[in-house]
Amino acid sequence: MTEFFKTEYNSPIGKLTLVSDGKSLTGLYIEGQKYFNCPKNANQKDDLTIFCNAKNWLNDYFKGKNPSVSLPLAPFGSEFGKEIWKILQKIPYGKTTTYGEIAEQIAKKRGLKKMSAQAVGGAVGHNPISIIIPCHRVLGKNGALTGYNGGIDKKITLLKLEGTLQ
């Protein structure tokens, strides 16, 4: 059985809970977010290397920098979810995309005529590593600020921090 660890980080958008299997980051949850999957048996351990590196990444991010450090990530989820989260990781800092554009990418990759933007939205909404896997950079049709599992106000704050919104 995998042992999990957790720590907390106080950010400008509230308390964040970071979760790790000891090597990789497996979760980064915003306090009060809709889908909070921190394992109940996770032990508090603030000095793990992955946590120190993730906190440094977050420090830079919240100072308005584009962190260049690549962290080992191991999000738990379905194969479809993991496919979507890999696409999210390719959205550049300060840029956005739409659920529909991601659906088109998946459809093309799979040789399908189309893919449901709602299915993509479900996978984006269940992203277990908020901010670092930038689900906040995904917008609705015509750039609408829809859905964010941590709250739309936090999505707006993150997009403003990155210079995407005024």
Side-chain angles (χ1 to χ4, degrees):
M1 184 174 187
T2 304
E3 186 175 13
F4 289 96
F5 304 96
K6 66 181 177 179
T7 190
E8 293 176 349
Y9 177 88
N10 291 316
S11 81
I13 61 168
K15 183 174 71 174
L16 305 178
T17 300
L18 289 79
V19 182
S20 173
D21 59 9
K23 295 181 182 129
S24 300
L25 197 64
T26 60
L28 192 162
Y29 303 100
I30 300 167
E31 185 173 39
Q33 82 175 48
K34 190 173 182 180
Y35 304 108
F36 184 85
N37 282 333
C38 179
K40 293 185 184 348
N41 65 340
N43 296 309
Q44 189 76 27
K45 187 159 177 130
D46 301 324
D47 61 351
L48 281 179
T49 300
I50 184 61
F51 289 154
C52 295
N53 291 341
K55 288 177 179 182
N56 287 334
W57 190 100
L58 290 165
N59 287 339
D60 284 347
Y61 180 81
F62 285 115
K63 287 177 187 168
K65 299 176 185 175
N66 179 7
S68 60
V69 174
S70 180
L71 300 168
L73 306 176
F76 287 105
S78 68
E79 289 308 310
F80 180 70
K82 290 176 184 179
E83 187 176 7
I84 298 298
W85 304 331
K86 282 184 180 171
I87 291 171
L88 298 181
Q89 291 176 68
K90 294 177 183 172
I91 305 169
Y93 180 93
K95 302 289 184 194
T96 59
T97 191
T98 66
Y99 298 101
E101 290 169 333
I102 294 173
E104 287 175 17
Q105 281 182 28
I106 296 291
K108 184 177 180 181
K109 180 180 174 188
R110 293 182 172 189
L112 302 172
K113 288 184 181 180
K114 65 188 275 190
M115 165 66 65
S116 164
Q118 279 186 310
V120 168
V124 170
H126 283 81
N127 168 23
I129 305 178
S130 297
I131 305 169
I132 293 173
I133 296 179
C135 51
H136 61 279
R137 296 180 188 153
V138 184
L139 306 176
K141 202 174 201 173
N142 301 319
L145 290 168
T146 60
Y148 188 60
N149 143 6
I152 202 75
D153 58 325
K154 291 174 177 69
K155 181 174 190 161
I156 290 167
T157 299
L158 296 171
L159 291 173
K160 283 182 177 179
L161 178 77
E162 293 183 17
T164 306
L165 293 178
Q166 301 306 318

